[in-house]
Structure formats: structure tokens, C-alpha cells
Amino acid sequence: MNKLFTDQLSKCECCPRECGVNRLEGKTGFCRVGSGIRISHAGLHFGEEPPISGTRGSGTIFFSGCNLRCVFCQNYQISQEFKHCRDSTLTPDELASEMLQLQDEGAHNINFVSPSHMVFQMADAILAAKEKGLVVPVVYNSNGYDSVEALQQIRALVDIYLPDLKYMENRPGKRFSAVDDYADIVPGVLREMLDQAGNLEIDSSGIAMRGLLVRHLVMPGLLENSRKCLSFLADLSPDIHVSIMSQYSPQYKACNFPEINRPLTEEEYDEITAYALGLGLENAFIQGLKSRDYYLPDFDRERPFKAKSES
């Protein structure tokens, strides 16, 4: 019998938390998810960066749970409060079937959202899907708090890495995301992703086929953190693609943190985008501030994201 990636969940160390619990026996660690593949939504999504969504949509698969506890999380219904989400538990073969269905619907890619704590289940499903005819690129869309060792194990299974770079300072990571060492972990993660996939490769139709695209959410009052994040990326590769996101709004528990209990201002966002250009980060995607309304999901809806006609 072939060994499965998921077998490693008997002592789970698939993310930097290294909880060590036996998820195969139903025990859970920080992410609160066992070995079953809990997904909250699967469907075509048009709200990603243009090379990811394209014209036909990105085949997004949202995992339930998370290995962070961001107080401002816009996906809190599925990352933190499972009772509000329409989730289901799948086997790797069933997840493979979901991937193939999205490919049949015309998806440019299969986009796994929040895979850091589900990386081994995801890997088994990718292998099963490829055996059954999956040919579109696979996107690993994570919060950046990943295990470098786990990423090394899935080399060649992921085509496009789409990680967050939330913090290059540990203090806000601890205060807002319940993580002590994010700024220590994420540099190695991004280096590994770049080593595996290279800089973003876009075909003649403007669709990403392979490579790394890093997201950074600009948060109110944390501009020095943003500058440090962008400086790191410029040093990592001046040709790196970065999405500088303006869509922050005070969701979930952000109301309990006065310093981030407000929207981002246009002046703050303009300051950070100008700083990025000054660093030579020319492959940057920028957003209008109105994006915070369009991109805010509601996972109590059958279709969590607003259609363009609703925006």
C-alpha cells in the first residue's frame, strides 16, 4: 500500500505550530480540524488578482479552520466560527472530484485557500486528481505561516504560490493574530516558495501559469510594518510580483482593538504604494479603497462573494 501524505497527521507537525496531536484519531490542535478534509465553499471566484481570476474565474476551494487567529479576519465565519459556515467533510478522492468539476466548469486554476493546516490532505487530493486528468495549475493560497519542511514535501504539486506577508514585526503578529514568531517564520517560507516556483509567469492571455505572487494587506496605523514587508520583498527579488491590498476593514473582533478599529485611509495606502514603487517593485498590483466592500464575503450565503452586478 502506498504511503499517504496524510499518514503524517498521526503526530501533526504540518505547520509551525507543531501541535503533535494525532489528527488521524480525531484529536485537534490549534487549527481545531481533524484529519477529515473540511471545506466551506468550492466555486469559481472572480475577485482574485487578474492573473489568477482571469476571465473564467479561479476554482477556489476554501478549507475550514486556520492556524492563525486574526482578530480582523474577513473569513472568520469559516476560519474561527464553524457554526456559521456551510462546511462538509470530504475524503481525498471526493476533493479530487471537486477539483475536476471546477476544471470542467472552466476554472483557470485550482485555488486552495487556507491550506497551511491541511497541506497533507491537499497533497493526497492533488495526486488523486492528477491521476484522473487534472491539468490546470494548482494555487497554494496561504496566510504565510507555513512549514518549510511541509512545502519541501509538496514540491512539484503546486504551480503557483499565493501567500500573505502579514508582518515583518512579531509584536503586531502576537497582538492581532495570536502568533509569536510570524516574522521569524515567513522569510524562510517565501524563500522556499520562490525557489520552487520562481517569479510569476503569465501567458499571452494574461493568466498566471507558474510562480510566486505575494499579498500584503496594508493595515491602519501599521505603516512601518508595511514598509518592512515591502523592503524584504524587494531584497528577495526586485522582479517579484506583489499585491498591495487596500481592502482592510474592521471585521470580527477588530472593534476590541482601538488602533485598528477603523478603515484604511487613502493617504495611508498611497504612502505605501509610493514606497513600493520607490523600492523598484514595479510588478505590483494595487486596489481602489472601494474594494473593501466588493471583496467582503458572507459564508452564510450559498454564493459568499458578491457578483459584479451587486457591487
Side-chain angles (χ1 to χ4, degrees):
M1 183 175 179
N2 292 331
K3 187 174 179 63
L4 299 173
F5 282 97
T6 312
D7 292 342
Q8 297 176 73
L9 298 180
S10 62
K11 183 182 178 183
C12 187
E13 296 181 349
C14 72
C15 88
R17 298 280 180 186
E18 296 187 343
C19 296
V21 299
N22 190 339
R23 292 170 68 182
L24 297 178
E25 293 184 350
K27 296 179 181 176
T28 61
F30 189 91
C31 69
R32 298 179 294 164
V33 178
S35 61
I37 304 173
R38 291 184 65 171
I39 68 167
S40 299
H41 176 70
L44 297 176
H45 182 36
F46 296 86
E48 307 284 37
E49 289 77 8
I52 305 298
S53 287
T55 56
R56 302 195 304 269
S58 177
T60 49
I61 296 173
F62 287 80
F63 290 120
S64 301
C66 188
N67 65 348
L68 297 181
R69 293 276 191 276
C70 298
V71 299
F72 53 87
C73 181
Q74 68 175 19
N75 293 347
Y76 68 90
Q77 292 166 304
I78 64 174
S79 66
Q80 313 296 337
E81 297 183 353
F82 299 160
K83 63 186 178 184
H84 291 296
C85 64
R86 304 164 174 260
D87 70 353
S88 55
T89 301
L90 308 180
T91 65
D93 282 339
E94 289 170 337
L95 181 55
S97 295
E98 291 279 355
M99 298 161 67
L100 294 168
Q101 176 64 34
L102 289 168
Q103 178 175 264
D104 290 344
E105 291 175 10
H108 290 292
N109 47 63
I110 302 300
N111 183 351
F112 290 106
V113 183
S114 299
S116 305
H117 62 299
M118 301 291 288
V119 57
F120 293 141
Q121 297 99 312
M122 179 201 76
D124 285 331
I126 292 171
L127 288 172
K130 286 182 178 291
E131 288 180 358
K132 297 176 182 179
L134 184 75
V135 295
V136 296
V138 171
V139 180
Y140 187 93
N141 181 347
S142 84
N143 59 31
Y145 195 57
D146 292 289
S147 162
V148 171
E149 181 179 350
L151 294 176
Q152 290 170 342
Q153 290 191 53
I154 65 168
R155 180 181 283 267
L157 294 183
V158 169
D159 303 286
I160 300 167
Y161 281 106
L162 186 60
D164 291 339
L165 174 52
K166 293 181 181 294
Y167 311 108
M168 282 299 290
E169 298 176 336
N170 280 325
R171 185 174 180 181
K174 183 174 183 178
R175 179 161 173 78
F176 303 129
S177 298
V179 58
D180 293 332
D181 58 353
Y182 185 97
D184 302 323
I185 295 294
V186 74
V189 168
L190 296 181
R191 291 188 184 101
E192 177 64 27
M193 291 176 171
L194 182 62
D195 181 68
Q196 287 190 26
N199 283 312
L200 198 66
E201 298 176 13
I202 299 174
D203 69 12
S204 59
S205 300
I207 305 301
M209 303 305 296
R210 181 176 177 79
L212 173 65
L213 169 55
V214 181
R215 288 171 165 167
H216 174 66
L217 176 65
V218 184
M219 293 179 60
L222 298 185
L223 301 193
E224 181 58 25
N225 176 66
S226 288
R227 286 188 283 267
K228 289 180 178 178
C229 289
L230 294 170
S231 294
F232 172 78
L233 293 177
D235 289 341
L236 183 63
S237 171
D239 297 321
I240 202 165
H241 285 69
V242 56
S243 178
I244 306 174
M245 299 187 296
S246 66
Q247 67 196 59
Y248 177 85
S249 64
Q251 300 297 315
Y252 193 35
K253 297 180 179 180
C255 60
N256 298 323
F257 297 81
E259 64 269 46
I260 61 169
N261 188 27
R262 64 172 176 84
L264 187 71
T265 68
E266 186 172 355
E267 291 75 17
E268 288 173 317
Y269 186 66
D270 288 348
E271 180 177 337
I272 293 305
T273 55
Y275 184 79
L277 293 175
L279 290 171
L281 291 171
E282 296 183 358
N283 293 323
F285 296 94
I286 61 173
Q287 294 179 321
L289 261 64
K290 290 183 179 180
S291 63
R292 66 173 65 104
D293 300 318
Y294 174 65
Y295 293 114
L296 190 64
D298 180 357
F299 287 94
D300 283 336
R301 296 172 20 146
E302 185 174 349
R303 297 177 62 184
F305 294 90
K306 292 179 181 179
K308 291 185 178 180
S309 61
E310 298 177 87
S311 59

